Amino acid sequence: MGCDGMTPRGVVVCDFDGTITERDMIVSIMERFAPPEWEALGKAVVERRMSVREGVGRMFALLPSSRREEIVDFALKTARIRPGFPEFLAAAWRAGLEFYVVSGGIDLFVLPILSPFRLDGKIYCNRAAFDEERIRIEWPHPCGPGCKGDCGLCKPTIMEGFGGAWTVLVGDGVTDFLAAERADLVVARDGLLRRCLELGRPAASFETFYEVRDAVLAAWDAVRAGRSAERAKGGGP
Ligand code: ZN
């Protein structure tokens, strides 16, 4: 196993806000800490009239850097992890799948909330800087040449980096649309699920990570069985 060059590589790419957490943490934080102007920005992003980068950047610029600790405390206290997440993670790792969180959220809350799950080095997200009076967002994972969008954190470009692997996208929202087009399997809820159905693209639906686990492991077993069958026929590289 693993040294014959034929064991397939499987990668799970998982959204954070509204997927791993039950609610979007940016929305929760804005509701609690931002002046009412944030709502028009949030609406414009959801309706895709404003890029995520511009909208999220402008929303965080409404918050004073001095409130950093309060915001982190609030995020840790209020975030609810969707049921079955630790069980899914353990099952995915046991099955030899790699797992990455790819989030348009901010390190400020993503990293503390995920700290119990041993995901160091497996998390892609945006960064908050506190060197000015108001919170400034940095975008370390911009769009590559294959993306025509203005994503902020570019999920499609990150997906391209896993080229050649069998990939699963688990997600829920607008920022997952383009990434879903590049995935072999989509496990979706909410806006992403509706979008997949509209486009006639197969997607498994989920409410808890127990359902994600069942969908992903069944598909991954089939992929591995298919590759073994190819080998038995004398195919494969
Ligand atoms: Zn992009």
Side-chain angles (χ1 to χ4, degrees):
M1 283 276 288
C3 15
D4 59 7
M6 288 187 277
T7 304
R9 180 186 180 200
V11 174
V12 178
V13 170
C14 188
D15 174 51
F16 179 78
D17 276 295
T19 299
I20 294 176
T21 59
E22 292 192 339
R23 280 203 76 202
D24 187 307
M25 291 309 297
I26 293 181
V27 172
S28 299
I29 288 168
M30 291 300 145
E31 283 174 354
R32 172 71 182 76
F33 293 96
E37 295 98 283
W38 82 268
E39 279 181 50
L41 296 168
K43 194 156 182 279
V45 170
V46 170
E47 292 171 359
R48 307 175 84 181
R49 287 181 282 113
M50 187 183 284
S51 74
V52 173
R53 191 165 66 132
E54 182 179 355
V56 171
R58 284 171 63 179
M59 280 190 254
F60 276 89
L62 296 168
L63 308 179
S65 294
S66 60
R67 304 197 77 179
R68 175 185 192 164
E69 277 183 35
E70 262 178 279
I71 295 170
V72 172
D73 288 347
F74 170 81
L76 278 170
K77 266 191 214 113
T78 53
R80 292 185 46 190
I81 302 288
R82 198 172 284 279
F85 180 66
E87 291 85 352
F88 167 59
L89 206 49
W93 282 334
R94 258 200 314 276
L97 288 162
E98 297 169 38
F99 182 90
Y100 297 90
V101 176
V102 178
S103 166
I106 317 297
D107 61 354
L108 166 72
F109 59 86
V110 174
L111 300 185
I113 292 169
L114 289 177
S115 64
F117 300 107
R118 296 190 293 152
L119 290 166
D120 294 353
K122 312 280 188 198
I123 301 171
Y124 295 82
C125 63
N126 298 310
R127 269 201 301 260
F130 303 90
D131 55 347
E132 292 172 11
E133 193 197 336
R134 309 221 152 231
I135 298 177
R136 185 169 57 78
I137 303 300
E138 296 176 338
W139 312 93
H141 306 286
C143 297
C147 180
K148 292 184 201 74
D150 183 14
C151 301
L153 175 135
C154 187
K155 294 189 183 192
T157 300
I158 292 170
M159 294 289 284
E160 274 167 23
F162 298 122
W166 180 77
T167 51
V168 181
L169 180 86
V170 186
D172 73 324
V174 287
T175 62
D176 300 315
F177 292 171
L178 292 170
E181 288 170 10
R182 290 164 165 80
D184 295 293
L185 172 67
V186 179
V187 188
R189 49 181 297 283
D190 205 33
L192 179 62
L193 182 63
R194 283 195 299 275
R195 175 77 169 181
C196 288
L197 296 176
E198 275 164 26
L199 298 176
R201 195 186 188 303
S205 69
F206 76 100
E207 271 307 313
T208 72
F209 274 96
Y210 297 110
E211 292 159 293
V212 178
R213 177 190 64 189
D214 294 348
V216 170
L217 292 187
W220 176 231
D221 282 347
V223 168
R224 288 190 295 183
R227 301 279 168 98
S228 312
E230 274 169 36
R231 278 210 295 283
K233 277 192 301 196

